[in-house]
Amino acid sequence: MAVQARAEATRQTIIDAAVELFGEVGYGNTGLNDIFARAQVTKGAFYYHFPTKQSVAEAIFEQADSRFQEALADLISSSPPALEYLVRLTFIVADVTEHDNLVRVGNLLRQGLLQVSPAAVATFDSRRRDILVSLVKKAVAEGDLLDDIDPDAVAHTIATGLLGTRLLSDATGEDMFARLTQVWDVILRGIASPESASANRLCVIRAAEQCRLNLPRFAAPPVLSATES
């Protein structure tokens, strides 16, 4: 057991070192020798756990996905109306990306390195799109979204709005949560009934404030959908 624990600790040390280096200088500018040095491991210890630098990146993908699932646990268990779920989901993604370096680096690798496990990246993107489309369709059925919208187009708009907000905030230093609030204000005006748009703007404001102040996620009672209020 002690040997296994040491091996797991060494593996995690390598991953942590790679996260730091990929975040600091980029995947392409990080060599294996850099990872050996940062992790303070021998070449043999590295190759015991990882055959290539790409395999380290894939391990970062896996851990980033696990962090997301942990962050989403409360949201999933509370089962809010679909539109509120979409709102809260985007702020959770923004929050975790803002405050968790492993997740941030994992996102950067996915966005910029299609050569790193392209099949895994494609599967991830397809799964994310399917989840958003399903939630949009459910929100239409619940009466919170207009019934003449295109679910795929709305899902794409939400995804690109989140991604674009994150990238621009990284580049300019602007408040990502304030900008995401503005994105949702525009989206809600175009896809939601007036009653639902008004109710869910309160959810947007609350989620942004919780992220900005690093408060526990969604401690307040959920905002009801228009059909439940």
Side-chain angles (χ1 to χ4, degrees):
M1 290 296 292
V3 173
Q4 182 179 356
R6 285 198 298 271
E8 284 299 318
T10 298
R11 184 178 188 276
Q12 189 59 51
T13 297
I14 294 169
I15 292 173
D16 292 343
V19 167
E20 293 176 2
L21 288 165
F22 294 162
E24 292 169 7
V25 301
Y27 178 88
N29 291 325
T30 299
L32 287 178
N33 287 332
D34 299 319
I35 298 177
F36 304 158
R38 180 65 65 91
Q40 297 183 329
V41 299
T42 65
K43 182 184 295 187
F46 177 89
Y47 283 117
Y48 177 81
H49 294 283
F50 299 103
T52 62
K53 184 173 72 170
Q54 175 177 320
S55 65
V56 181
E58 291 168 353
I60 293 172
F61 290 163
E62 292 175 2
Q63 290 197 0
D65 286 349
S66 295
R67 296 278 179 89
F68 266 127
Q69 290 304 310
E70 292 169 6
L72 291 171
D74 289 342
L75 175 60
I76 293 171
S77 64
S78 65
S79 300
L83 181 53
E84 185 187 344
Y85 195 118
L86 280 166
V87 169
R88 289 165 58 175
L89 174 64
T90 60
F91 278 96
I92 289 174
V93 171
D95 188 25
V96 175
T97 304
E98 178 79 359
H99 296 115
D100 191 316
N101 193 47
L102 183 144
V103 172
R104 184 183 66 82
V105 170
N107 281 338
L108 290 173
L109 288 172
R110 275 205 170 97
Q111 293 161 16
L113 295 174
L114 291 178
Q115 70 269 28
V116 177
S117 189
V121 173
T123 300
F124 173 82
D125 288 340
S126 176
R127 184 171 71 247
R128 179 176 58 183
R129 183 177 60 252
D130 290 345
I131 290 171
L132 291 178
V133 170
S134 176
L135 286 168
V136 172
K137 289 180 178 178
K138 185 178 179 183
V140 171
E142 291 173 346
D144 283 326
L145 296 184
L146 304 176
D147 58 12
D148 60 348
I149 62 171
D150 180 340
D152 187 71
V154 172
H156 178 76
T157 300
I158 293 170
T160 55
L162 173 60
L163 175 59
T165 298
R166 191 170 69 232
L167 292 176
L168 286 173
S169 296
D170 285 345
T172 64
E174 292 183 332
D175 185 333
M176 174 167 55
F177 307 120
R179 287 299 189 187
L180 187 55
T181 298
Q182 292 174 339
V183 168
W184 267 112
D185 186 57
V186 172
I187 291 176
L188 288 172
R189 289 175 185 272
I191 66 173
S193 65
E195 297 83 1
S196 175
S198 177
N200 280 279
R201 282 193 192 98
L202 297 177
C203 178
V204 170
I205 293 169
R206 189 184 71 211
E209 191 66 13
Q210 288 174 320
C211 291
R212 191 177 295 109
L213 298 178
N214 201 24
L215 296 175
R217 292 188 184 96
F218 317 122
V223 175
L224 296 178
S225 67
T227 55
E228 294 178 317
S229 58

